[in-house]
Amino acid sequence: MIVADKKLELVTLTERQKKARRNRSIAIGIALAALVVIFYAVTIVRFGHHGASLTSSGLLGGG
Amino acid sequence: MALADDRLMEDAGFRISEATAGDFFALLKPRVMSLVVFTAFVGLVAAPVSVNPLIAMVAILAIAIGAGASGALNMWYDADIDAVMTRTANRPVPAGRVSPGEALGFGLVLSALSVMTLGVLVNWLSASLLAFTIFFYAVVYTMWLKRWTPQNIVIGGAAGAIPPVIGWAAVTGSVSLESVILFLIIFLWTPPHFWALALFKSDDYARAGIPMMPNVAGQASTRRQIFAYALILAPVGVLPWALGYTTAGYGVVSAVLGLGFVWYAWKVLRMRDDDRAMKPAKALFAYSLLYLFAIFAVYLVDCVVGRALMMGGV
């Protein structure tokens, strides 16, 4: 009951801290996006090869 | 208000980070990483198997991040000694821009990420070698050898010498004598390179309590050992040609580079005990960087040109 009446105490970030956090967030975002692109592209390359070899061997109905 | 908040948080053991992405990038030791990337790239290109360029790029990226991760772990553990050395006092952790916990977390996450990426997307032999390298550099060298023995960089140098083997393994899925020779060149290059630095930075190392060779065995002994390593390194640098892996062009250039190394090491050997400027040691340090870059660059060019000539039927 007492807690409900109290205003929640928040930490106020300085401009420098806000700027640093934004800078880190952008870097993490870029790194994650790059990771997604890399894994996607390599998967296509690897499965592309694998698919091609399966097709040429007749296992996927080709050749 | 915010400043008061900061103090309260710090008193309570919390700290709001002001570290930028650049500070975290500095934890990766970009200059060391560039050497790792270059030597790994040479190992990758020298391998006698063609590989998809994207896979090759991912392999190099993973090796670079793994090397950077071990650098971050090194900076986390060595923050106390980095703080008292002029050369390293401004690194992110001792300078207070990144907390030790952040550096540790960053290093561990990148270690796992780089090894897993290399394993899943390239092959598990190269990933195992990368994992071993990170462990060797962060645990065996940083936590154990560095503060314990003057042979620290001799044994620890193995970690910095493995990248061309990883590059080779990423393409071939195996380790061969040719890649081991590339390993040997860097392994034998490391002691004279770092001991030259330790000669003119011996006060720094003494202040930090690191048992580098000049501080433990003395400058005269260090100069003799530098010269001995130079005498071994010079012929090993020529081995790829002697064993028939390269053309005579590489053989000639590597022999000249090796003679240059021996010449600079000889000047260090002849350096007087009371020489405070230590110009020969500084010159050897600078030349050693040029030597490693040049010998790997010539090896790379030799491989590429040799392959192009073979494909052209010349």
Side-chain angles (χ1 to χ4, degrees):
Chain A
M1 291 303 281
I2 298 167
V3 173
D5 290 335
K6 266 195 163 181
K7 211 176 164 186
L8 190 63
E9 284 186 33
L10 295 173
V11 176
T12 315
L13 297 182
T14 62
E15 276 309 307
R16 195 171 166 175
Q17 286 166 342
K18 279 183 191 169
K19 200 176 164 189
R21 188 174 64 176
R22 186 178 166 75
N23 182 280
R24 292 196 303 271
S25 300
I26 291 170
I28 292 170
I30 292 170
L32 285 176
L35 205 62
V36 169
V37 171
I38 286 169
F39 269 77
Y40 178 78
V42 174
T43 305
I44 295 296
V45 167
R46 292 212 129 191
F47 276 80
H49 263 282
H50 189 57
S53 62
L54 288 177
T55 306
S56 62
S57 65
L59 288 173
L60 286 183
Chain B
M1 183 68 186
L3 277 175
D5 281 348
D6 270 0
R7 290 213 181 92
L8 280 171
M9 298 278 284
E10 277 179 25
D11 288 347
F14 297 107
R15 180 181 159 275
I16 297 173
S17 180
E18 290 183 358
T20 63
D23 292 322
F24 282 94
F25 184 69
L27 284 178
L28 303 177
K29 295 192 176 180
R31 270 190 293 181
V32 177
M33 197 205 267
S34 63
L35 198 64
V36 167
V37 166
F38 179 58
T39 56
F41 179 72
V42 173
L44 191 141
V45 173
V49 182
S50 63
V51 64
N52 184 290
L54 182 66
I55 304 282
M57 196 195 78
V58 169
I60 294 293
L61 185 68
I63 294 167
I65 292 172
S70 60
L73 293 173
N74 170 275
M75 285 204 205
W76 158 69
Y77 193 81
D78 276 351
D80 57 338
I81 53 180
D82 282 350
V84 295
M85 291 174 66
T86 52
R87 192 170 64 89
T88 52
N90 199 35
R91 284 177 173 175
V93 181
R97 296 194 300 277
V98 175
S99 72
E102 286 171 328
L104 174 64
F106 186 61
L108 289 175
V109 167
L110 289 192
S111 297
L113 188 72
S114 59
V115 171
M116 293 304 289
T117 302
L118 197 58
V120 170
L121 299 185
V122 183
N123 64 49
W124 285 102
L125 175 67
S126 55
S128 308
L129 286 168
L130 182 64
F132 173 75
T133 306
I134 296 169
F135 171 80
F136 198 84
Y137 185 73
V139 178
V140 178
Y141 170 70
T142 303
M143 296 182 190
W144 178 37
L145 296 170
K146 187 171 179 179
R147 299 170 191 236
W148 177 62
T149 168
Q151 296 293 331
N152 45 18
I153 45 105
V154 176
I155 308 165
I162 294 181
V165 183
I166 304 177
W168 182 284
V171 181
T172 62
S174 65
V175 174
S176 74
L177 179 63
E178 197 172 344
S179 62
V180 172
I181 290 170
L182 295 178
F183 166 90
L184 269 181
I185 292 172
I186 307 176
F187 183 72
L188 292 168
W189 164 90
T190 307
H193 169 75
F194 279 104
W195 285 339
L197 173 74
L199 277 174
F200 61 87
K201 289 282 182 187
S202 60
D203 293 346
D204 243 12
Y205 284 113
R207 202 162 43 245
I210 303 172
M212 289 302 279
M213 194 58 80
N215 305 88
V216 177
Q219 296 208 354
S221 170
T222 306
R223 294 199 302 264
R224 282 195 298 275
Q225 293 188 64
I226 284 175
F227 188 66
Y229 269 95
L231 287 178
I232 303 169
L233 173 65
V236 169
V238 187
L239 264 187
W241 166 71
L243 293 175
Y245 298 136
T246 64
T247 65
Y250 169 85
V252 171
V253 178
S254 62
V256 171
L257 286 168
L259 284 173
F261 204 106
V262 172
W263 167 248
Y264 278 100
W266 169 254
K267 282 164 72 168
V268 170
L269 182 69
R270 303 281 294 166
M271 201 167 70
R272 283 167 40 172
D273 284 340
D274 59 351
D275 186 345
R276 293 287 100 199
M278 295 204 183
K279 280 185 182 168
K282 288 173 185 169
L284 174 64
F285 180 74
Y287 180 78
S288 64
L289 284 168
L290 173 76
Y291 173 87
L292 195 70
F293 176 77
I295 205 163
F296 271 80
V298 175
Y299 191 89
L300 179 69
V301 170
D302 192 276
C303 286
V304 173
V305 172
R307 211 166 290 161
L309 289 176
M310 274 176 67
M311 284 171 71
V314 180

